[in-house]
Amino acid sequence: MTESEIEITEDLIRDLLKEQHPDLAGLAVREVVGGWGNQMWRLGDDLAVRVPRTEGAPELLLKERRWLPELAARLPLPVPEPVRIGEPSARFPKPWTVMTWVPGEPLDRSAINRADHAADVLAGFLTALHVAAPEDAPVGADRGDHPAKYADGFDQLLRAVDDLGDVVDDVRAVWDDAVAAPAWAGPPVWVHGDLHPANVVVADGTLAGVVDFGDLLAGDPAWDLAAAWVLLPEGAAARFFSAYGGADGATVRRARGLAALKCLFLMLMGQNGDRGLPGGKPAWGPAGRAALGRVLRDRTA
């Protein structure tokens, strides 16, 4: 994670708004804790400003601008929609966006306690999202394909995460089973690509919105179906797959292996956060460890 050389402050956000969207400059501005490639600031009650802070973030932000207006109308959960465009300028040399605010608390700082409801909501959201993508849809360099393509990354994560103890062989077995599973035979579908606890929000004990579509791509739906273990509470995966209805045994196997991969990533980011390393997220460690336990205990099939 390479931090922007320009410090993103409240004064910068106000200056950008005054320059390009003066009618919004009088709204209250509050920093939102978290984020990865973009830093987000709440703007009034209903909007947010997303400002790139890493080298690759502008490209992902432009992808959201291009595709979210087309997808949002048919998705059954709130997602952030771009409402104003911020152009590069002398004050800030990167594009930025004003988007709708999705109410709720990020799952990495809250919990789902209505498991059945959340499973049905997530299944409905992914059923609506996972339709054949157009030919000009983006593809992912580091996600979206068969798990076998990412074996080196899995090995690196497995070595990097501390304190896996006696479950290392079990985690490896889940991954190997995913690698051995047949590939997705259907057309590439729209995939969120980055469903983890910081990218969904919760209200009233259930899923209430999905955010951060910077990794949106056309690919294997198993990348999103991994959320059955990564997001949902213990025992909810079977209900989720039943409600989703479109996942065969091979897809479930790939999804479970990809869930293990995502859990290791969350645990590594938590580990880095505990050590004070750049980009580390202390809250992600416990979330990843809990999800990995669900992966190992629940095959769903």
Side-chain angles (χ1 to χ4, degrees):
M1 180 177 181
T2 303
E3 295 287 345
S4 170
E5 295 180 358
I6 301 175
E7 185 180 5
I8 301 172
T9 65
E10 180 179 339
D11 287 342
L12 173 64
I13 300 302
R14 291 195 180 281
D15 286 349
L16 293 176
L17 291 169
K18 288 176 183 177
E19 287 177 357
Q20 300 191 34
H21 300 287
D23 58 313
L24 302 179
L27 296 174
V29 174
R30 293 160 284 170
E31 185 176 3
V32 178
V33 176
W36 183 263
N38 295 285
Q39 187 166 350
M40 189 157 63
W41 295 76
R42 187 89 176 263
L43 182 61
D45 293 330
D46 302 317
L47 300 173
V49 181
R50 279 168 63 82
V51 181
R53 62 181 176 189
T54 61
E55 184 177 352
E59 180 181 352
L60 304 183
L61 187 147
L62 293 174
K63 185 197 301 186
E64 289 184 322
R65 283 189 194 173
R66 165 65 180 88
W67 294 107
L68 274 176
E70 294 188 17
L71 295 175
R74 61 178 177 79
L75 296 176
L77 281 175
V79 301
E81 298 183 56
V83 296
R84 299 286 182 92
I85 300 303
E87 299 293 352
S89 66
R91 187 70 175 88
F92 188 75
K94 298 178 182 180
W96 49 280
T97 306
V98 179
M99 310 188 79
T100 55
W101 173 257
V102 179
E105 187 73 10
L107 181 55
D108 63 335
R109 299 200 298 271
S110 57
I112 291 171
N113 53 42
R114 297 168 61 195
D116 287 351
H117 187 275
D120 292 344
V121 169
L122 180 62
F125 176 83
L126 291 181
T127 298
L129 177 63
H130 290 169
V131 300
E135 291 185 1
D136 59 340
V139 295
D142 60 351
R143 68 195 73 203
D145 211 327
H146 191 277
K149 186 175 179 179
Y150 312 97
D152 289 345
F154 175 84
D155 290 341
Q156 292 171 14
L157 285 170
L158 195 62
R159 290 193 298 267
V161 174
D162 293 340
D163 301 325
L164 283 173
D166 59 1
V167 304
V168 172
D169 290 344
D170 295 333
V171 176
R172 166 66 68 183
V174 170
W175 177 255
D176 288 345
D177 184 59
V179 169
W184 172 245
V189 301
W190 279 119
V191 175
H192 178 281
D194 200 23
L195 288 177
H196 63 70
N199 285 343
V200 299
V201 297
V202 174
D204 299 323
T206 191
L207 288 177
V210 178
V211 300
D212 197 345
F213 283 74
D215 288 303
L216 181 73
L217 55 87
D220 181 353
W223 280 85
D224 284 350
L225 300 178
W229 297 275
V230 176
L231 299 181
L232 297 176
E234 186 82 33
R239 182 179 180 112
F240 164 80
F241 280 108
S242 177
Y244 180 80
D248 59 14
T251 300
V252 174
R253 290 166 60 194
R254 295 194 310 277
R256 187 167 174 247
L258 292 167
L261 177 75
K262 291 169 181 279
C263 292
L264 292 176
F265 172 75
L266 291 171
M267 292 168 68
L268 180 60
M269 291 302 98
Q271 181 176 296
N272 289 348
D274 292 340
R275 295 174 180 175
L277 298 176
K281 304 287 185 181
W284 291 14
R289 192 169 296 276
L292 185 62
R294 296 192 291 269
V295 169
L296 297 178
R297 289 188 295 269
D298 185 0
R299 294 180 61 89
T300 78

